[in-house]
Amino acid sequence: MGAERGKPYRGQRITVSFDARRCLHAAECVRGLPQVFDTGRRPWISPDAAPADEVADVVRRCPSGALQYEEADGTTERPTGPTTVERTADGTLVLRGDLRIAAAGGPEVRETRVMLCGCGASGNQPYCDHSGPCGTSGEA
């Protein structure tokens, strides 16, 4: 389940999870709903500070997939179609769609949004972590 990957921030209508290892600081969340996503506050995510549908919309803007959500009724993000792949100017691969990602030695994981390493230097393969020449801009 999407909202259980990473640290969960539980609200009454929606739970948002955050996987710091996947965050590439595109800042879509803080620009989209600063009352919900405020890096200067602890906890930095307050899911009940906006309507659940608005929180879900902003979470879906996160290009890396570091943010996930699950609504109180069990609804999670549905993949967009068709699947898209974009290479950013710095070489990071941005994918959206019905994805299945297999890391070496790990189980296959279903995803809807990911930023994958395009240079091979990431310590969080296959995800980009800014440790190599690709992924240094943090933007998609």
Side-chain angles (χ1 to χ4, degrees), residues 13-102:
R13 301 171 309 274
I14 191 167
T15 295
V16 176
S17 66
F18 174 66
D19 184 347
R21 296 171 303 136
R22 298 261 305 270
C23 182
L24 296 179
H25 308 290
E28 291 292 333
C29 55
V30 295
R31 282 193 304 268
L33 280 175
Q35 70 272 32
V36 173
F37 302 95
D38 181 350
T39 59
R41 178 185 65 220
R42 294 294 175 259
W44 78 280
I45 300 175
S46 298
D48 289 334
D53 61 330
E54 291 179 25
V55 174
D57 180 55
V58 169
V59 167
R60 287 189 295 268
R61 294 182 205 169
C62 173
S64 68
L67 292 170
Q68 303 285 325
Y69 72 88
E70 181 177 351
E71 295 184 45
D73 67 2
T75 300
T76 59
E77 183 174 356
R78 294 193 187 278
T80 59
T83 296
T84 60
V85 179
E86 174 188 346
R87 180 180 292 276
T88 64
D90 61 18
T92 303
L93 300 171
V94 181
L95 290 82
R96 288 183 177 268
D98 188 9
L99 311 170
R100 282 148 186 87
I101 307 296

